[in-house]
Amino acid sequence: MRRSTFNYIEDMLRDYPRYMDNYEQLKVDNKRLKKRNEWLEKDNHELNKEIEAAYERIRHLTIRIEELF
């Protein structure tokens, strides 16, 4: 049996506050996750710079050791 358009609209209106609560929560979560992503990208960039510096130190030490022998 098909539901009437009125029943369908009535159900939508009844559930609207719940959908809006979910939507608002998703917006908050999205904002929080975007901020966390920015922090992680910054941390990743800083770690990459530290790794590059350590690699350079190792390369220079390797050259010095080779020069000794």
Side-chain angles (χ1 to χ4, degrees):
M1 175 186 233
R2 268 185 87 189
R3 294 175 51 178
S4 71
T5 303
F6 177 76
N7 286 343
Y8 180 75
I9 293 171
E10 189 177 52
D11 288 347
M12 284 180 58
L13 291 173
R14 184 191 68 236
D15 293 338
Y16 181 78
R18 183 176 50 124
Y19 291 133
M20 285 310 294
D21 288 344
N22 290 344
Y23 174 74
E24 292 301 323
Q25 185 60 47
L26 288 172
K27 281 178 31 179
V28 168
D29 290 346
N30 189 45
K31 186 176 182 179
R32 178 182 51 81
L33 290 172
K34 281 182 179 181
K35 194 64 171 171
R36 183 170 182 210
N37 188 46
E38 289 173 11
W39 294 334
L40 290 173
E41 285 178 355
K42 182 181 175 207
D43 290 345
N44 185 48
H45 180 72
E46 291 171 1
L47 286 172
N48 283 340
K49 288 193 327 190
E50 289 179 28
I51 290 169
E52 287 174 17
Y55 176 78
E56 276 302 307
R57 287 192 301 272
I58 291 169
R59 192 174 71 79
H60 288 292
L61 288 172
T62 304
I63 292 169
R64 284 188 195 158
I65 291 170
E66 288 175 351
E67 289 172 351
L68 290 173
F69 295 101

